[in-house]
Amino acid sequence: MNNKVVNKQIPLESIVQVANHLEDYKEKYDRKFELEENKNKNIPYGEKQWEYENGSTTIKYTIEFKNGKNITESDYNWFVGNLNQPIIKDPNYVKHADYVIMESTYGDRSHGERPDYVKELTNIMQITFARGGNLVIPSFAVGRTQEMLYFLRKIKMDQLIKGFEDFEVYVDSPLAIEATSIFNKNVDTCFDKEAMELVRQGINPISFPGLKLSVTSDDSKLINFDTKPKVILSASGMCEAGRIRHHLKHNLWRKECTILFVGYQAVGTLGRNLLEGAKTVTLFGEEINVKAEIRKLDGVSGHADKDGLLRWINSFEDKPQKVFVVHGEDMVCDRFVECLEKEYGYHAEAPYSGSEFDLLKNVWIKTEEGIRIAQKKEGNRRALDVFHRLLAAGQRLLSVIKHNEGGANKDLAKFADQINSLCDKWDR
């Protein structure tokens, strides 16, 4: 997402593996458990125990060293849940930790008052369908897709779309389909009171007539041969990968269609470019004119805003020794660190990717420096965003170079020649 993220994603080789991991995680929510023996080999001096927190993606782990003198508790949170979200329960709060790694996606802003999502979504659908177009929603597979289904069920059941009461909704993401299945299997443990009340009435909160699940690539292709106005939910949420890119190719050029963003769009992503008014985009080597209406459903986020982040960190009974702020754009990370330090008295830092810290000795082993972007006047904001994209591309290039360390000399030489050729072209 940005160069402040210090955690590495676990490589998963298939949708089945992702689903299996989700099944494994849900069994361990709100429970303590010991890591398997082979997971301890990177902790030669101690025992490691993990504890998951419900309502957010939080792992609390405790390392007890065998001499019995040192016990370190760390809280690793890469997703602080938002309050009053559909379907799922509100996040729990952690009470004790020596070190905290926490996200800062919305660390400098508020979501504001909660809008009437059903009303806004109904209005967008009514206008789009009346034009004869499709509503295409790039959506994160886990969490956001299920929230959209929750709203769409309400719209369908109350017949709020006049003249199109039988509209169809396609979920075109194998991972989203698997995640939705897991939601349905864990009603008692995950659903909030409002969702459980629907269940008690015999209503599935995230299913309804006209909902179609697209599993295979052939299923996905057939969606765009259907000329009826419809809703298409597809991943990825920032349009950087996945089947959503195919749906954008088929719908962006159609002025009767609407592309509706329902989540955060990071700098440099296709989703961010579209929100900022891109007139053309390139998909699968083809330049596409952007004629569709581009909309954003404000306030829809699984991430807590600044107030929610502060509520979470201030729930600790004793202040942690240090708070590491990650998962946010550079300036957002820095602003949130400043807030934690000056207003709340925390020892906080926002490390760049690649930095290393010794928790036992409480010292930095290695620090990485990033490229800082100075604030500019509002009139130059668009130019700043474009230049920010360029800097992000440079950071990505450095990362790719590092990943190729140890590669074949022939390949590395070719890579170096290509980079030098590009530099020669733009070094002016």
Side-chain angles (χ1 to χ4, degrees):
M1 179 171 161
N2 53 66
N3 58 352
K4 288 267 184 172
V5 181
V6 299
N7 57 299
K8 295 183 179 179
Q9 294 181 357
I10 300 171
L12 298 173
E13 297 177 2
S14 69
I15 294 300
V16 174
Q17 284 180 297
V18 175
N20 287 340
H21 275 67
L22 291 174
E23 286 281 4
D24 184 54
Y25 290 160
K26 60 94 175 173
E27 294 175 359
K28 297 178 175 66
Y29 266 115
D30 291 324
R31 298 173 188 164
K32 295 181 180 179
F33 62 96
E34 299 290 336
L35 283 182
E36 293 88 344
E37 184 64 29
N38 63 353
K39 299 285 183 68
N40 277 318
K41 54 188 174 184
N42 291 326
I43 316 170
Y45 304 111
E47 301 296 331
K48 191 170 184 178
Q49 185 182 73
W50 297 70
E51 179 180 353
Y52 284 78
E53 295 292 331
N54 195 15
S56 60
T57 310
T58 301
I59 297 174
K60 178 180 179 182
Y61 61 91
T62 301
I63 305 174
E64 183 173 357
F65 291 86
K66 291 181 178 178
N67 59 14
K69 294 181 179 179
N70 298 295
I71 297 178
T72 300
E73 289 190 335
S74 296
D75 184 69
Y76 180 19
N77 186 297
W78 63 90
F79 186 102
V80 176
N82 201 359
L83 295 175
N84 301 316
Q85 294 295 98
I87 310 172
I88 60 173
K89 299 175 182 177
D90 285 346
N92 293 338
Y93 294 98
V94 182
K95 297 300 181 183
H96 303 281
D98 298 313
Y99 295 96
V100 170
I101 304 173
M102 69 178 297
E103 65 131 318
S104 60
T105 309
Y106 292 101
D108 66 342
R109 72 201 81 168
S110 169
H111 290 321
E113 292 187 12
R114 181 181 174 84
D116 186 337
Y117 296 127
V118 169
K119 181 179 179 180
E120 290 193 23
L121 188 55
T122 297
N123 181 56
I124 293 170
M125 292 172 63
Q126 187 73 63
I127 293 173
T128 302
F129 289 176
R131 292 194 301 239
N134 297 323
L135 175 61
V136 180
I137 306 178
S139 182
F140 302 110
V142 182
R144 191 57 38 76
T145 293
Q146 292 72 38
E147 288 180 34
M148 291 298 106
L149 292 178
Y150 186 88
F151 298 140
L152 290 165
R153 179 204 58 80
K154 173 70 173 174
I155 292 170
K156 168 79 79 166
M157 293 300 97
D158 292 350
Q159 296 189 328
L160 299 179
I161 308 297
K162 305 306 178 185
F164 301 91
E165 290 83 359
D166 296 328
F167 68 87
E168 295 178 338
V169 175
Y170 288 85
V171 176
D172 189 21
S173 165
L175 178 56
I177 293 169
E178 292 289 348
T180 302
S181 175
I182 292 171
F183 267 73
N184 285 323
K185 291 177 182 177
N186 295 276
V187 171
D188 293 338
T189 56
C190 295
F191 281 18
D192 62 13
K193 291 181 179 179
E194 184 178 349
M196 285 303 299
E197 180 58 34
L198 291 172
V199 172
R200 279 189 282 269
Q201 296 173 26
I203 300 171
N204 186 332
I206 52 178
S207 183
F208 47 86
L211 175 61
K212 298 181 178 295
L213 307 180
S214 174
V215 178
T216 69
S217 58
D218 287 338
D219 293 337
S220 178
K221 293 173 184 176
L222 288 173
I223 295 173
N224 290 297
F225 287 98
D226 180 5
T227 58
K228 294 182 297 184
K230 56 193 166 294
V231 177
I232 303 172
L233 282 160
S234 188
S236 69
M238 297 187 192
C239 308
E240 286 297 280
R243 295 179 179 179
I244 187 61
R245 294 173 70 87
H246 290 276
H247 295 300
L248 291 176
K249 178 181 178 180
H250 285 279
N251 290 275
L252 271 175
W253 57 272
R254 299 176 56 193
K255 62 182 181 180
E256 66 269 25
C257 294
T258 300
I259 314 300
L260 177 63
F261 289 97
V262 293
Y264 181 81
Q265 304 298 311
V267 172
T269 63
L270 176 56
R272 181 72 163 258
N273 294 343
L274 288 170
L275 278 177
E276 291 178 345
K279 301 300 181 183
T280 61
V281 298
T282 301
L283 290 165
F284 307 104
E286 182 179 346
E287 188 174 90
I288 308 294
N289 290 322
V290 179
K291 299 295 185 182
E293 183 179 5
I294 308 298
R295 297 286 300 271
K296 184 176 186 296
L297 201 58
D298 290 321
V300 180
S301 178
H303 293 271
D305 60 8
K306 182 179 180 180
D307 290 339
L309 293 172
L310 291 172
R311 188 182 303 111
W312 184 85
I313 190 66
N314 287 324
S315 68
F316 288 91
E317 293 181 357
D318 297 307
K319 281 187 170 63
Q321 294 182 40
K322 190 179 287 290
V323 178
F324 302 96
V325 176
V326 299
H327 202 284
E329 294 180 11
D330 292 354
M331 288 183 287
V332 176
C333 285
D334 291 339
R335 289 169 186 159
F336 192 61
V337 165
E338 183 179 14
C339 171
L340 290 176
E341 290 186 326
K342 293 185 177 180
E343 297 181 35
Y344 294 92
Y346 289 96
H347 297 291
E349 294 190 54
Y352 280 91
S353 180
S355 300
E356 299 177 13
F357 188 85
D358 189 318
L359 298 179
L360 184 59
K361 297 179 180 178
N362 196 27
V363 296
W364 285 101
I365 300 173
K366 176 185 176 183
T367 59
E368 295 287 346
E369 293 297 327
I371 302 173
R372 301 285 175 170
I373 301 175
Q375 286 186 309
K376 295 187 178 181
K377 296 180 180 179
E378 185 66 25
N380 295 328
R381 183 175 180 180
R382 182 166 177 79
L384 173 62
D385 286 340
V386 175
F387 187 62
H388 197 167
R389 286 176 53 204
L390 180 61
L391 291 176
Q395 291 287 337
R396 181 184 177 191
L397 178 59
L398 287 174
S399 176
V400 172
I401 291 172
K402 291 178 181 178
H403 288 164
N404 278 273
E405 184 178 2
N409 289 338
K410 182 180 179 181
D411 292 337
L412 296 179
K414 183 179 179 180
F415 191 11
D417 290 341
Q418 291 173 339
I419 294 174
N420 285 326
S421 176
L422 185 63
C423 290
D424 290 341
K425 178 180 179 179
W426 289 97
D427 188 11
R428 57 193 183 186

